[in-house]
Amino acid sequence: MARPPAAARRDSRARILRAAAAEFAARGYAGANIDRIARTAGLNKAMIYYHFASKAALYREIVGDMFRAVGVRIREVAASDASPEEKVARFIETIATEAEARPHFPPIWFREIAEGGMHLDDKTLRSIDVIVQTLVTILDSGVKAGRFRRVQPLVVHAGIIAPIMLFFGSAGLRARLARAGIGGVAQVTRDAMVAHVQSVTLGVLKGTVA
Amino acid sequence: MARPPAAARRDSRARILRAAAAEFAARGYAGANIDRIARTAGLNKAMIYYHFASKAALYREIVGDMFRAVGVRIREVAASDASPEEKVARFIETIATEAEARPHFPPIWFREIAEGGMHLDDKTLRSIDVIVQTLVTILDSGVKAGRFRRVQPLVVHAGIIAPIMLFFGSAGLRARLARAGIGGVAQVTRDAMVAHVQSVTLGVLKGTVA
DNA sequence: GTCTATAAATAGATAGAC
DNA sequence: GTCTATCTATTTATAGAC
């Protein structure tokens, strides 16, 4: 019969979200194509407008969900009763885990930096801020406990997020370079990168490094 | 008379390149609009096609020039007779100076990471690789001289480029957050950020940090 | 070199049947 | 909920006058 299999039929909305996340990550908001998203989801264009008001609304939902989900994990770390050192290490591990689990996270993060949050609503901007503020809280608790030096949070934040995002987000570019037979460098494992950022960050906070 | 003033007439090509760099940085390749670029340059759309074969060709020229220029400065650093430590510090300073002097550099860098160099030709990919390979050369010379530990170049590279690019590239997003009255953190000066990345990187290479 | 049309293609969004 | 067909706006690119 014409009726598609239940597995394909169910959750057309979820399938659109998945396909759209990949499309927005790969091509950006402007470069994303509604028709291509629909076909990737095994659906028709009209179905996207059945579930979402517009391309912009679809995009906002994906980015909003993404930052909110990361924010939730990060706050769990901050709310735990671990030591400040342990919280910093787990903050970093969590960012890496989320970046790995959601392949669209790093590319979308890069693009939103580049365009200054142009397509984001205030609610999502607040979700982004929550991540930063949560790190500030962790750093403050370490300072108050006499275990961390006072270091500019923006500097610590940049030293964590940026290398981790670059590592996960540049896999495609590294592959492209390799395919083109262009130089490149020895690859590094995910765990080695995370461990490095953890030890450097704690080194900075403990004062082992100026 | 209809003839525009000499200052506006001269270098229509250069004016297009300037306007296009800003447009591509702000909106990305797909989001950039040829008509808007022309108007920003004080010209007509047709003039862009007089100077450039296509939107893609214009984009490639801008990105190619950008990476080549950065590569040149970086190689000057590596070719100098400074100590390995000094070269690392100047490598970082140079990246920061270029990012500051060319406001389109960080956004375009972010976007190209995100889309895996989709719009770039092999020549430009090679220019990107040169920057990495030059850092590898500097690190190697330090190791050979017994002054640096051997650390994965990809890790060192990510620890330098990513925070610097994030710092310069996120100015717009930080401003947007401030305008929306959303949290934010204490601002940091360019010099403080550069000094921090320099001391952390050298700490890693000298073994002060694990 | 610079402009005014305008062609041609792409892509967001909707109407309406099933 | 899902589809086909279509409207409409946007936008890259070109033709051709000056």
Side-chain angles (χ1 to χ4, degrees):
Chain A
M1 39 184 101
R3 197 179 160 91
R9 267 189 66 258
R10 208 169 297 143
D11 281 331
S12 65
R13 191 189 146 92
R15 273 156 52 216
I16 289 168
L17 284 170
R18 235 195 326 276
E23 174 83 0
F24 285 128
R27 299 172 188 262
Y29 177 77
N33 181 301
I34 291 287
D35 202 56
R36 193 162 37 218
I37 292 171
R39 275 182 282 121
T40 302
L43 291 165
N44 188 280
K45 195 153 81 157
M47 272 309 287
I48 291 183
Y49 291 98
Y50 173 76
H51 284 296
F52 302 92
S54 64
K55 180 181 180 179
L58 173 59
Y59 182 73
R60 277 195 299 268
E61 174 136 348
I62 288 168
V63 181
D65 283 354
M66 181 182 93
F67 282 115
R68 262 188 299 283
V70 176
V72 167
R73 303 295 174 91
I74 292 297
R75 268 177 304 187
E76 286 169 8
V77 170
S80 75
D81 57 0
S83 67
E85 287 86 349
E86 182 67 20
K87 285 183 184 178
V88 167
R90 286 179 54 203
F91 179 95
I92 294 165
E93 169 61 39
T94 300
I95 295 287
T97 300
E98 292 296 311
E100 206 172 12
R102 304 166 189 267
H104 60 283
F105 178 26
I108 289 179
W109 183 86
F110 279 120
R111 291 183 203 276
E112 284 304 329
I113 299 286
E115 49 204 73
M118 198 191 237
H119 306 288
L120 304 183
D121 49 23
D122 279 15
K123 199 180 157 206
T124 300
L125 289 176
R126 249 178 282 275
S127 298
I128 294 175
D129 189 57
V130 161
I131 299 174
V132 180
Q133 296 307 331
T134 304
L135 178 62
V136 171
T137 304
I138 295 173
L139 298 183
D140 278 351
S141 74
V143 170
K144 281 211 184 84
R147 306 169 75 99
F148 290 167
R149 287 194 307 145
R150 190 172 288 285
V151 184
Q152 295 276 206
L154 195 70
V155 166
V156 178
H157 183 260
I160 293 172
I161 303 275
I164 296 282
M165 287 292 154
L166 178 60
F167 178 73
F168 288 104
S170 63
L173 183 56
R174 290 200 302 273
R176 167 103 205 263
L177 286 167
R179 226 178 302 122
I182 294 172
V185 277
Q187 291 308 300
V188 174
T189 65
R190 171 233 132 96
D191 286 349
M193 181 53 100
V194 170
H196 182 263
V197 173
Q198 286 173 330
S199 84
V200 168
T201 305
L202 284 168
V204 166
L205 292 172
K206 305 296 274 184
T208 317
V209 155
Chain B
M1 38 186 105
R3 197 180 160 90
R9 267 188 67 258
R10 207 170 296 143
D11 281 329
S12 65
R13 192 188 146 93
R15 272 155 54 214
I16 290 169
L17 285 170
R18 235 195 327 276
E23 175 82 0
F24 285 127
R27 301 175 186 259
Y29 177 76
N33 181 299
I34 292 288
D35 201 57
R36 194 162 35 218
I37 292 171
R39 275 181 284 121
T40 302
L43 290 165
N44 187 280
K45 198 152 78 157
M47 272 310 286
I48 291 182
Y49 292 98
Y50 173 75
H51 284 295
F52 302 92
S54 65
K55 180 182 180 179
L58 172 58
Y59 182 73
R60 278 195 299 269
E61 174 136 348
I62 287 167
V63 182
D65 283 356
M66 182 182 91
F67 281 116
R68 263 189 297 285
V70 176
V72 166
R73 302 294 174 92
I74 293 297
R75 269 177 302 186
E76 286 169 7
V77 170
S80 75
D81 56 1
S83 67
E85 288 86 349
E86 181 67 19
K87 284 182 184 177
V88 167
R90 286 180 54 204
F91 179 96
I92 294 164
E93 169 62 39
T94 300
I95 296 287
T97 300
E98 292 296 312
E100 207 172 11
R102 304 166 189 267
H104 59 285
F105 178 26
I108 289 180
W109 182 86
F110 280 121
R111 291 183 202 276
E112 284 306 327
I113 300 285
E115 50 204 73
M118 197 191 238
H119 306 287
L120 303 183
D121 49 23
D122 279 15
K123 199 180 157 207
T124 300
L125 289 176
R126 248 178 282 276
S127 298
I128 294 175
D129 189 58
V130 160
I131 299 173
V132 181
Q133 296 308 330
T134 305
L135 178 63
V136 170
T137 304
I138 294 173
L139 298 182
D140 278 351
S141 73
V143 171
K144 281 211 183 85
R147 308 169 73 100
F148 290 167
R149 287 193 308 147
R150 191 172 287 284
V151 184
Q152 296 274 205
L154 196 70
V155 166
V156 178
H157 182 259
I160 293 172
I161 303 275
I164 296 283
M165 288 291 156
L166 178 59
F167 177 74
F168 289 104
S170 63
L173 183 56
R174 291 200 303 274
R176 167 102 205 264
L177 286 168
R179 225 178 303 120
I182 295 170
V185 277
Q187 291 308 298
V188 174
T189 66
R190 169 234 133 97
D191 286 348
M193 180 54 102
V194 170
H196 181 264
V197 173
Q198 286 173 331
S199 84
V200 168
T201 305
L202 285 168
V204 166
L205 292 172
K206 305 296 275 182
T208 318
V209 156

